[in-house]
Amino acid sequence: MNTINCVAQLRTAVAQARAAGQRIAFVPTMGNLHAGHIALITQAVARADFVVASIFVNPLQFGPNEDLDSYPRTLAADQNKLTDAGCNLLFTPVVEDIYPDGMAEHTIVSVPGVSSGLCGGSRPGHFDGVSTIVCKLLNMVQPDLALFGEKDYQQLAVIRKMVSDLSMPIEICGVPIVRDTDGLALSSRNGYLSAQQRANAPALQQCMHSVKAHIIKGNRDYAALFAQFDTDLQDAGFRLDYVELRDALNLEVAHADSRHMVLLAAAYLGTTRLIDNLIIDL
Ligand code: PAF
């Protein structure tokens, strides 16, 4: 696998693959790769002939008090994992090439509706940062398909809408959450947890399953279910950020007739913010 950081070289490599009749898949990441990322590469390898990954810790999607500086950078280990998974090309641009005039001067791609509320409510500007960088990377790589993890459910919805609204000829493919054996969704931020916090962390998914079980049994008193969810999470050492039930396709607030829904939650263990989601089909 080649690693390059220059857009011109990226375009040349992709053009050569395309000229050879190859289907191009793209997996954008911020690095510190785990089995969830590798599942994206594995899907990409299965669905395309030439797989491009990127590693770029995008400052535009971090808030002023978030973990941009401490976000783990593990390039050598990531390169080995990508090579083993069958990735053909790794693109590792630098901030100065992505935002040459600085972030404040850069055009922002802002996706209305789905970017609001949930993580967009807790992290103002986050999804503008995500849609801007993903739009740029998609324009640089020009893949046939791009793959994203379903753990970042709202991010996937934002990207799907952006690609549709901007008529980008790219198939967006969501890949199911990869979980540890105890149910915790894999995330680069799990590495911030202390041993005790890591032991408590699966409670997030367990409490979400409990809410789901009540809803499937017919309980529609969401306020009471969410209050109990909050209490249960606090007992496990969490501080709730949000819990909501939304339509699984358009992320609109679920109503009495909704059948295909997604339960989305974010909660803090200490200073580490974890997110998870669970599909609820009635
Ligand atoms: O999900 C991520 O790792 C990032 O938000 C992404 C899509 C690579 C954009 O920076």
Side-chain angles (χ1 to χ4, degrees):
M1 181 191 72
N2 279 337
T3 301
I4 54 174
N5 59 18
C6 155
V7 182
Q9 284 177 321
L10 169 72
R11 289 194 194 280
T12 303
V14 173
Q16 279 169 356
R18 195 173 293 291
Q22 294 188 318
R23 183 169 153 82
I24 318 288
F26 176 47
V27 178
T29 80
M30 297 205 300
N32 193 233
L33 304 181
H34 51 65
H37 297 108
I38 299 309
L40 301 178
I41 301 289
T42 304
Q43 269 287 324
V45 169
R47 299 194 50 184
D49 309 299
F50 189 79
V51 176
V52 182
S54 65
I55 294 179
F56 179 64
V57 183
N58 173 33
L60 194 60
Q61 69 187 75
F62 287 79
N65 299 314
E66 294 186 346
D67 55 342
L68 173 63
D69 293 337
S70 56
Y71 200 85
R73 275 102 168 151
T74 52
L75 181 61
D78 292 346
Q79 284 170 313
N80 288 336
K81 290 177 189 173
L82 289 169
T83 303
D84 290 348
C87 181
N88 300 101
L89 183 66
L90 173 61
F91 179 49
T92 56
V94 295
V95 173
E96 294 70 26
D97 286 341
I98 294 290
Y99 304 115
D101 300 322
M103 294 190 292
E105 293 301 312
H106 200 280
T107 299
I108 297 297
V109 179
S110 190
V111 181
V114 282
S115 299
S116 307
L118 304 169
C119 289
S122 311
R123 304 181 67 189
H126 169 66
F127 285 118
D128 286 357
V130 170
S131 37
T132 300
I133 190 62
V134 172
C135 185
K136 282 178 74 83
L137 291 168
L138 292 178
N139 283 332
M140 290 172 180
V141 179
Q142 300 189 357
D144 297 290
L145 76 151
L147 301 96
F148 297 85
E150 289 175 355
K151 186 178 83 68
D152 295 295
Y153 199 93
Q154 187 178 13
Q155 168 173 281
L156 180 57
V158 167
I159 292 165
R160 282 192 199 284
K161 180 165 165 58
M162 175 188 76
V163 164
S164 166
D165 285 358
L166 298 183
S167 309
M168 301 169 91
I170 300 167
E171 181 191 344
I172 300 300
C173 173
V175 176
I177 299 177
V178 177
R179 297 184 182 278
D180 223 326
T181 45
D182 58 9
L184 178 65
L186 296 190
S187 163
S188 299
R189 292 189 167 102
N190 292 352
Y192 297 151
L193 300 172
S194 68
Q196 183 59 58
Q197 289 168 337
R198 176 63 191 79
N200 291 353
L204 176 58
Q205 197 228 9
Q206 287 155 8
C207 294
M208 292 175 77
H209 271 290
S210 168
V211 172
K212 175 174 175 169
H214 282 285
I215 293 173
I216 286 188
K217 273 192 219 147
N219 190 336
R220 295 288 175 274
D221 188 352
Y222 298 139
L225 287 175
F226 293 162
Q228 186 61 50
F229 177 78
D230 189 1
T231 304
D232 294 346
L233 274 189
Q234 283 184 41
D235 290 346
F238 280 88
R239 179 169 57 84
L240 181 63
D241 180 0
Y242 68 76
V243 57
E244 288 200 41
L245 193 62
R246 297 284 185 110
D247 181 284
L249 292 182
N250 57 23
L251 281 190
E252 283 172 11
V253 175
H255 49 77
D257 297 334
S258 300
R259 288 288 168 268
H260 183 43
M261 298 180 285
V262 58
L263 182 68
L264 301 127
Y268 289 90
L269 263 179
T271 54
T272 305
R273 184 172 175 278
L274 301 180
I275 60 172
D276 207 338
N277 64 77
L278 209 50
I279 294 291
I280 303 181
D281 276 323
L282 298 180

